[in-house]
Amino acid sequence: MSKTNQSALLDGAPVIPLNVQIAKILGICHALLLQQIHYSTETKPVKREGRSWCYYTHEEWANRIGVYEPRTIRKALRDLVSLGLVLVGHHNSHKYDRTNWYALDYLKLSTWVGDVGIEGTVPAKSLSSALITGATNATSTWQKSPLPSGKKCH
């Protein structure tokens, strides 16, 4: 492949890391959302209740990820919240402001990742690197999606 073709594929395009094991189980959209919440709470943390939180609308999440509609993001967030992997809070200065704030439950996520077939569990401290690098020793035993709807969003 020539240098020109390579740069057309790679240069300047946004890149989002993805945990392949989580994507295989939940679907790409869910894995990307987990990664984006992790990234947002790590780079621009707002500490509340002993956790790092971030807030974006469904439209903002869709724009950040770039390949899903806000409706798909809303459904995926609802799934992740129902699994207990994502926490939702309302940490706004005004009571009329109903903006949702999001945080990851790293302990639940590390336990859950262990339960779905990765040998051992990922300690909460090292889950950050697991989200970015992905799991390589996966032995998944799930035959169907653990999502409430039973469907993955791809």
Side-chain angles (χ1 to χ4, degrees), residues 19-22 113 118 122 130 133-138:
N19 181 304
V20 175
Q21 182 61 28
I22 291 175
V113 167
I118 296 175
V122 182
T133 60
T136 56
N137 61 344

Side-chain angles (χ1 to χ4, degrees), residues 85-137:
L85 302 177
V86 172
L87 305 173
V88 178
H90 296 99
H91 304 291
N92 306 304
S93 2
H94 302 290
K95 290 193 184 268
Y96 62 82
D97 185 353
R98 298 295 299 156
T99 303
N100 286 334
W101 291 59
Y102 302 99
L104 294 179
D105 185 337
Y106 287 102
L107 185 59
K108 176 101 176 199
L109 188 55
S110 66
T111 302
W112 185 83
V113 167
D115 287 346
V116 295
I118 296 175
E119 296 171 10
T121 58
V122 182
K125 282 185 179 179
S126 65
L127 191 59
S128 301
S129 60
L131 278 170
I132 292 179
T133 60
T136 56
N137 61 344

